[in-house]
Amino acid sequence: MSAGSGPGRPEARSPQHSKAQIAAFAAGVIGILATMTLGAFAGVFLMTSLANNSGLSNAVPEDGRNSLVIGGIGAGGLTGLLIPLILAGLVKGTEEKPRLRPTEAFTNVLALIGFDVYLLAISVIVAQFGRILPEGLTVLLSVFAIGFSWMPLALIPWERFGITITGVRRGPDSTPDSHKSD
């Protein structure tokens, strides 16, 4: 006997999405990609302006300026990605994933700014290798140092401090492995 739908069994239907839902999702994805790209460009502009026209220009060697560009891409792109998600968390929510409260959103934005400052400080520190290494090796080192410097921060349980990236809060009685019984 087959496991397919028979005379006594209902047919399994795949969920259908309306054209409006698909268009809204596509607009959201395009909007997120646009803010992420514009944030990366803004980060690069900020860091190159700091490296050329401020007191930071004397602290960064010529062969290390690309490290600042890499840090600006990371910080700006991350900010451009997460700010719309935090704002969406303020507006949209369900019973399983409640909306963010304004204080939680403010805490998330402060944490994001702190992480951006951390990335920019790492990029200035790595740029100092431009004093002893050629530009190509400094860029290679920058990509790895800036790209992987956040990994120790990822191991910290930020939820204990009230910081959630996705806006998903868990209640005090729920655990990650708990399932609702049917």
Side-chain angles (χ1 to χ4, degrees), residues 92-108:
K92 185 175 178 172
T94 62
E95 288 183 20
E96 291 84 26
K97 298 176 185 175
R99 294 186 306 169
L100 280 176
R101 293 181 298 214
T103 55
E104 292 172 331
F106 182 70
T107 305
N108 288 350

Side-chain angles (χ1 to χ4, degrees), residues 116-161:
D116 287 343
V117 169
Y118 171 78
L119 275 181
L120 298 178
I122 292 293
S123 66
V124 170
I125 291 169
V126 174
Q128 300 307 310
F129 284 104
R131 297 185 191 280
I132 57 174
L133 296 175
E135 185 176 6
L137 287 176
T138 305
V139 169
L140 182 66
L141 180 67
S142 298
V143 168
F144 285 105
I146 295 167
F148 294 122
S149 67
W150 58 269
M151 286 192 178
L153 293 175
L155 298 175
I156 297 173
W158 294 107
E159 293 82 19
R160 290 187 180 188
F161 302 110

Side-chain angles (χ1 to χ4, degrees), residues 153-179:
L153 293 175
L155 298 175
I156 297 173
W158 294 107
E159 293 82 19
R160 290 187 180 188
F161 302 110
I163 299 170
T164 59
I165 297 300
T166 60
V168 176
R169 291 182 317 202
R170 298 185 189 270
D173 56 344
S174 67
T175 60
D177 294 332
S178 67
H179 298 287

Side-chain angles (χ1 to χ4, degrees), residues 22 36 38 47 73 80 101 114 130 157:
I22 294 171
M36 188 172 65
L38 290 174
M47 290 306 289
I73 290 170
R101 293 181 298 214

